[in-house]
Amino acid sequence: MWCQRLAWLLRGQRGSSGRRWPWLPRDPGPVPAVPVRCHPSAPASPRCAWQLHQDHLELRYGSTLMRLDFVWLRDHCRSASCYNAKTNQRSLDTASVDLAIRPQAVRVDETTLFLTWPDGHVTRYGLEWLLRNSYEGQKQQVMHPRILWNAEIYRQAQIPSVDCRSFLETDEGLKEFLQNFLLYGIAFVENVTPTKEDTEILAERVSRIRETIYGRMWYFTSDFSRGDTAYTKLALDRHTDTTYFQEPCGIQVFHCLKHEGTGGRTLLVDGFHAAEQVLRRAPEHFELLAKVPLKHEYVESMGGCHNHMIGVGPVLNVYPWNNELYLIRYNNYDRAVINTVPHDVVRRWYHAHRALTAELRRPDNELWVKLKPGKALFVDNWRVLHGREAFTGYRQLCGCYLTRDDVLNTARLLGLQA
């Protein structure tokens, strides 16, 4: 997996600038642990050992060595006086915890860590809970499981579209749709009545609609009603939308209501798959694309529309604790003047950008889809780039943006990892 390779790169390698990524902590190296017998109740219980240090507890559980700060251990206590299990909210005032706190007693059995604090308060942690929630445990996990794809991988997977009625009326249909969407970054719903109103009902099944400068539900014809290349009949190169927002829109919905003409196929490219190829072939390019902040800008002054939007961020965005890619911000149309990069970095950035662009433009990474009335497409705008071939004739599309948090919330409530 690319995130594991990147973690290896950042632990042991230096980029062309000769510096490690600033957000990664230095590896303190292995610290010998003092073994403690755990009295396992079952032969399969993982071996555990612990050792107290000046400001933290070192705990080995199974194959994972965790370093747990004493203040952290006091702050995350799940006792009734410190944590409200009904609301899942902390009751303890973190500012009241002595930053020099140290447990008076520590005990570990086969499943639980017990800590007694100077005031007599006892904190209990399940070892499995600590494994999931420690820094060392988190950096081994993936926030969002995905299947990276090119056109052939996606076609061979034969991902079925979900019927509109099943999607709207059953949890099973909605869950199947969301599982497809989470894994591949795109998902289709069939047999949708080709109207803007029915598309809106469809979208609201999974999320609140995000109202933007384009309104709530947008309705597209090629009349150049906005100062944007999208409102033409011209081809559009692959890109993600709203890169000029500080938080780009998470999901985009497309539904072709009518097309009397030729062309107009939709292009889809898995940006995370392309980024993985860059990491594999030139990790220094990946590192630069994840570090250098850029501005994207949208300016319009047509009719009654007056907007000036600026979003700032790197092309690739990764979680700092496990280096998992979670957002790609790629739009050559809207990228502003590069004035956030010193001269000795600019040329290297251009080389890195060219490497990513070459991967995004590889023909075998291009999935072409003809959108037709009745078939709605949901696209993860943080992952999958979209484009369009030129077209002739009259073409109507409608769609909207969805709030990412609400989509992920719906998925989690159905038992999916999101």
Side-chain angles (χ1 to χ4, degrees):
M1 181 178 287
W2 69 264
C3 60
Q4 295 171 331
R5 290 200 293 273
L6 180 58
W8 171 86
L9 165 73
L10 296 173
R11 285 197 304 268
Q13 303 294 318
R14 294 180 184 271
S16 53
S17 65
R19 298 179 181 175
R20 295 182 186 272
W21 286 22
W23 58 62
L24 290 174
R26 291 182 179 273
D27 186 351
V31 178
V34 178
V36 173
R37 192 165 56 180
C38 297
H39 307 291
S41 58
S45 297
R47 292 178 57 195
C48 57
W50 62 269
Q51 184 177 18
L52 284 176
H53 292 263
Q54 184 63 33
D55 59 0
H56 71 280
L57 170 72
E58 185 177 279
L59 176 67
R60 183 181 293 278
Y61 182 61
S63 60
T64 302
L65 180 64
M66 297 173 275
R67 296 179 176 91
L68 306 166
D69 185 276
F70 293 145
V71 178
W72 186 95
L73 286 167
R74 184 63 188 91
D75 178 51
H76 288 83
C77 180
R78 267 20 189 186
S79 67
S81 63
C82 298
Y83 185 79
N84 190 327
K86 292 182 179 180
T87 64
N88 296 301
Q89 291 177 308
R90 179 183 283 102
S91 303
L92 176 68
D93 176 16
T94 302
S96 70
V97 178
D98 182 357
L99 295 180
I101 196 168
R102 182 181 174 88
Q104 284 190 333
V106 177
R107 181 171 66 88
V108 180
D109 66 16
E110 64 270 15
T111 62
T112 309
L113 167 67
F114 300 85
L115 301 141
T116 303
W117 302 104
D119 62 357
H121 184 82
V122 177
T123 293
R124 299 171 178 83
Y125 286 114
L127 298 178
E128 290 292 337
W129 187 94
L130 286 172
L131 186 63
R132 290 192 308 272
N133 290 285
S134 66
Y135 168 75
E136 292 81 5
Q138 274 292 304
K139 72 179 183 178
Q140 297 175 29
Q141 298 179 29
V142 174
M143 286 286 289
H144 305 287
R146 302 182 180 96
I147 297 175
L148 306 186
W149 53 268
N150 58 20
E152 184 61 24
I153 292 172
Y154 187 82
R155 291 192 189 98
Q156 288 187 0
Q158 297 183 328
I159 310 301
S161 299
V162 175
D163 180 75
C164 181
R165 186 169 181 177
S166 175
F167 175 88
L168 291 175
E169 298 179 4
T170 72
D171 285 347
E172 291 76 12
L174 179 59
K175 186 173 182 178
E176 180 185 2
F177 165 86
L178 286 169
Q179 183 67 86
N180 293 340
F181 179 81
L182 293 172
L183 289 177
Y184 294 94
I186 56 175
F188 297 89
V189 181
E190 296 269 17
N191 302 316
V192 183
T193 304
T195 68
K196 185 170 69 171
E197 293 73 22
D198 286 277
T199 307
E200 182 175 3
I201 293 171
L202 195 76
E204 289 181 324
R205 172 70 164 138
V206 292
S207 168
R208 294 180 183 274
I209 294 173
R210 178 174 175 178
E211 189 159 358
T212 68
I213 58 174
Y214 304 105
R216 178 177 164 82
M217 292 289 299
W218 52 262
Y219 189 76
F220 164 86
T221 57
S222 54
D223 61 0
F224 205 63
S225 59
R226 306 294 293 262
D228 194 311
T229 311
Y231 288 79
T232 69
K233 296 182 179 182
L234 302 175
L236 288 176
D237 193 20
R238 61 227 70 198
H239 63 280
T240 59
D241 271 17
T242 61
T243 53
Y244 39 80
F245 288 2
Q246 270 306 111
E247 181 184 314
C249 292
I251 290 90
Q252 185 161 12
V253 182
F254 294 100
H255 188 191
C256 181
L257 306 181
K258 181 183 295 186
H259 184 196
E260 299 169 348
T262 61
R265 289 182 304 164
T266 294
L267 168 65
L268 300 167
V269 179
D270 186 352
F272 289 2
H273 178 270
E276 183 195 31
Q277 302 309 307
V278 172
L279 177 64
R280 184 170 62 86
R281 296 188 175 110
E284 70 280 4
H285 289 339
F286 186 101
E287 180 180 358
L288 204 60
L289 292 170
K291 287 175 63 177
V292 174
L294 300 173
K295 293 179 182 178
H296 288 76
E297 187 173 29
Y298 179 72
V299 180
E300 69 169 337
S301 184
M302 297 186 67
C305 298
H306 302 279
N307 293 293
H308 188 178
M309 311 292 293
I310 295 179
V312 183
V315 174
L316 305 178
N317 294 253
V318 300
Y319 293 123
W321 63 88
N322 66 354
N323 299 300
E324 177 185 348
L325 180 62
Y326 68 88
L327 184 154
I328 180 169
R329 188 190 295 254
Y330 183 99
N331 191 318
N332 205 52
Y333 298 105
D334 295 326
R335 183 162 46 79
V337 174
I338 300 179
N339 53 20
T340 54
V341 187
H343 80 279
D344 59 334
V345 177
V346 167
R347 182 167 291 273
R348 290 193 292 117
W349 183 88
Y350 275 113
H351 279 284
H353 185 266
R354 185 67 52 86
L356 177 60
T357 299
E359 286 298 331
L360 292 170
R361 291 180 176 174
R362 286 172 63 90
D364 56 353
N365 286 334
E366 299 178 342
L367 178 67
W368 290 93
V369 178
K370 179 67 174 179
L371 297 182
K372 298 179 179 179
K375 186 172 186 176
L377 166 64
F378 290 67
V379 178
D380 185 344
N381 187 56
W382 284 21
R383 170 184 174 181
V384 176
L385 288 73
H386 65 276
R388 178 191 69 208
E389 69 177 351
F391 64 93
T392 65
Y394 183 71
R395 187 170 182 255
Q396 284 184 349
L397 261 76
C398 77
C400 60
Y401 295 115
L402 304 183
T403 60
R404 187 176 191 82
D405 287 336
D406 286 334
V407 173
L408 298 181
N409 174 55
T410 300
R412 293 183 193 113
L413 291 175
L414 289 171
L416 299 172
Q417 183 178 347

